[in-house]
């Protein structure tokens, strides 16, 4: 299925959080699951730092995970759309640069230590890399990205405590323009 997204130039900063918790999902009996686990705060942002450009950062604080020492597995389910283009080594765009739209749905997880009935941390989900190959004297540049619920209804943008079966729905984030010198007057190529 082809999708096209119009990426406005106005989205140049880290996005703020406007997410909503959901009720815990049903899981098979698990002796490590607590009944009172809940997210106290969750935020997400798109990184604009050079070393993590386009990454999704999901930061959370969760209570009620039990007093025993141990760990909690946190997983982010997502769909991501990104636009890459070839920029010349002088920092300018060719008249008609090669470009590639990348769409990917997946999940990313990390394990976090429990301390005093709480767990907290940040999941750093890398941006998809794409397969764009640039001509000599040019380099692949991530131009814009968005992290969203996918076109497939089963791909909900969410944070899940897999250990305690708690789900937190995340609001879509982006599109964020990461290189404002690129002309985004056309749709994201697919």
């Amino acid at each position: 299925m082809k999708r096209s997204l119009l990426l406005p130039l106005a989205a140049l900063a880290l996005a703020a959080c406007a997410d909503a918790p959901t009720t815990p999902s049903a899981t098979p009996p698990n002796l490590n699951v607590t009944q009172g686990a809940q997210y106290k705060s969750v935020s997400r942002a798109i990184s604009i730092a050079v070393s993590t450009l386009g990454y999704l950062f999901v930061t959370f604080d969760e209570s009620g995970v039990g007093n025993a020492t141990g760990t909690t597995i946190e997983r982010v389910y997502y769909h991501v759309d990104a636009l890459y283009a070839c920029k010349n080594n002088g920092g300018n765009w060719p008249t008609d640069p090669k470009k590639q739209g990348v769409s990917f749905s997946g999940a990313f997880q990390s394990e976090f230590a429990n301390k005093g009935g709480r767990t907290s941390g940040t999941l750093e989900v890398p941006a998809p890399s794409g397969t764009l190959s640039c001509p000599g004297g040019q380099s692949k540049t991530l131009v814009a990205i968005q992290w969203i619920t996918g076109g497939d209804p089963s791909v909900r943008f969410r944070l899940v405590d897999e250990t305690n079966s708690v789900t937190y729905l995340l609001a879509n984030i982006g599109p964020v323009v990461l290189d404002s010198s690129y002309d985004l007057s056309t749709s994201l190529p697919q």
Side-chain angles (χ1 to χ4, degrees):
M1 179 168 119
K2 274 189 140 180
R3 292 179 11 140
S4 65
L5 306 168
L6 190 58
L7 299 172
L9 292 174
L12 283 176
L14 290 174
C17 176
D19 306 320
T22 63
T23 57
S25 59
T27 59
N30 179 340
L31 297 177
N32 295 324
V33 173
T34 63
Q35 297 301 317
Q38 62 180 324
Y39 289 107
K40 293 298 189 183
S41 66
V42 177
S43 64
R44 80 274 178 283
I46 295 175
S47 175
I48 57 173
V50 173
S51 62
T52 56
L53 188 64
Y55 276 42
L56 172 68
F57 289 165
V58 177
T59 302
F60 68 93
D61 181 16
E62 184 179 8
S63 65
V65 296
N67 288 326
T69 58
T71 59
T72 299
I73 296 172
E74 301 284 344
R75 184 176 295 152
V76 175
Y77 293 88
Y78 62 88
H79 178 84
V80 60
D81 292 319
L83 175 63
Y84 286 91
C86 294
K87 191 174 201 177
N88 69 33
N89 293 340
N92 299 310
W93 295 104
T95 305
D96 186 18
K98 285 179 69 177
K99 56 189 168 267
Q100 177 188 39
V102 178
S103 290
F104 181 77
S105 295
F108 181 88
Q109 76 178 35
S110 290
E111 197 168 339
F112 297 89
N114 299 338
K115 296 177 188 167
R118 296 181 85 98
T119 188
S120 61
T122 300
L123 288 99
E124 298 181 12
V125 187
S129 62
T131 59
L132 181 64
S133 178
C134 294
Q138 296 182 17
S139 58
K140 181 171 76 170
T141 302
L142 179 57
V143 176
I145 195 164
Q146 64 181 354
W147 297 83
I148 59 175
T149 293
D152 177 348
S154 69
V155 183
R156 298 291 309 271
F157 189 30
R158 66 194 186 278
L159 173 64
V160 177
D161 171 345
E162 298 289 350
T163 305
N164 295 294
S165 189
V166 179
T167 299
Y168 195 95
L169 293 180
L170 297 166
N172 291 347
I173 182 171
V176 172
V177 177
L178 301 167
D179 190 323
S180 61
S181 67
Y182 184 82
D183 179 11
L184 287 174
S185 61
T186 61
S187 297
L188 185 68
Q190 295 292 322

